[in-house]
Amino acid sequence: MMKKILLTTLTVLALSTQAADFLPSAHNWNAGSSGDAFSAAIGAAEADYASALSASMAWRDTGAMIKEAKKLHKAGKVNAATALAKKAHTQAINALAQASVAGSAGPSF
């Protein structure tokens, strides 16, 4: 029994240390210049928004937020654009999470 617990713990530890290298550095929005942060944030927001659209679960304001973030970036307001792109990305992630549980929604009696 103790051997099983030890092996399980070591396996989880080994997998969790490998997880840090799983995401590319583009997902580190705090690294590099603010232009790079905007590109990473808007790219992630657009990709996840497209996935939410294909799952028919995109949230109402996400597309408008992406459009506004691009407009702000073009106007030179990089910090505001990056912040809005991050919010749009968060909305897209939440929409995908909602889509994953929507199939099992309903009464269970």
Side-chain angles (χ1 to χ4, degrees):
M1 182 67 177
M2 187 62 137
K3 218 177 205 182
K4 272 187 179 178
I5 293 173
L6 180 61
L7 285 174
T8 303
T9 304
L10 290 175
T11 304
V12 169
L13 179 64
L15 291 175
S16 64
T17 57
Q18 294 294 325
D21 293 331
F22 177 70
L23 291 176
S25 63
H27 288 280
N28 185 359
W29 295 335
N30 295 321
S33 69
S34 57
D36 293 335
F38 174 77
S39 297
I42 201 70
E46 289 176 327
D48 286 336
Y49 181 61
S51 297
L53 281 173
S54 68
S56 298
M57 196 58 78
W59 288 8
R60 180 191 66 201
D61 297 334
T62 308
M65 291 171 77
I66 292 171
K67 190 174 182 178
E68 182 65 23
K70 288 180 178 180
K71 202 182 290 186
L72 286 169
H73 187 261
K74 191 173 182 178
K77 300 177 180 179
V78 179
N79 291 336
T82 304
L84 189 57
K86 288 178 183 181
K87 286 181 184 178
H89 183 233
T90 300
Q91 277 199 357
I93 289 173
N94 290 339
L96 289 172
Q98 182 180 3
S100 69
V101 296
S104 61
S108 55
F109 44 108

